[in-house]
Amino acid sequence: MVQGSSPKARKIVILTGAGISAESGLGTFRDAGGLWAQHRIEDVATPEGFARDPALVQGFYNARRSAAATARPNAAHQALARLQRDWPGEVVIVTQ
């Protein structure tokens, strides 16, 4: 059981965003210099953008996949994994 946990607490819900992975080197979308500062959302995240330039859209998402494939968990990821493993109840992590 996690130190200090209450036997009455059964479920923990954690809300996270893209910032949790920034320390692992993954670009965020809304920060200054983030992905939306480099690309217009209309160009890479809409059906119309894909129709105009499928190579641009595929390149954008291939770059995201490539970055994710080489990223490593940071301290926040490891702490959440330990919490999920050790908490006697359910831990739900919701991210974007």
Side-chain angles (χ1 to χ4, degrees):
M1 188 185 286
V2 175
Q3 182 180 6
S5 63
S6 165
K8 293 180 183 179
R10 294 189 185 136
K11 187 175 200 175
I12 297 174
V13 177
I14 298 169
L15 305 175
T16 70
I20 195 170
S21 296
E23 189 177 321
S24 292
L26 297 178
T28 62
F29 286 87
R30 293 182 188 94
D31 288 344
L35 297 171
W36 293 147
Q38 300 168 31
H39 298 278
R40 288 175 6 108
I41 191 170
E42 297 86 354
D43 293 337
V44 296
T46 65
E48 295 81 11
F50 184 79
R52 279 191 306 274
D53 193 343
L56 174 69
V57 175
Q58 290 170 342
F60 177 81
Y61 288 102
N62 284 341
R64 307 287 70 72
R65 283 188 286 276
S66 178
T70 60
R72 296 292 171 251
N74 64 49
H77 297 127
Q78 293 166 352
L80 291 173
R82 279 192 309 275
L83 181 62
Q84 279 190 309
R85 181 191 67 218
D86 296 343
W87 186 254
E90 183 179 10
V91 176
V92 176
I93 300 172
V94 180
T95 190
Q96 56 180 347

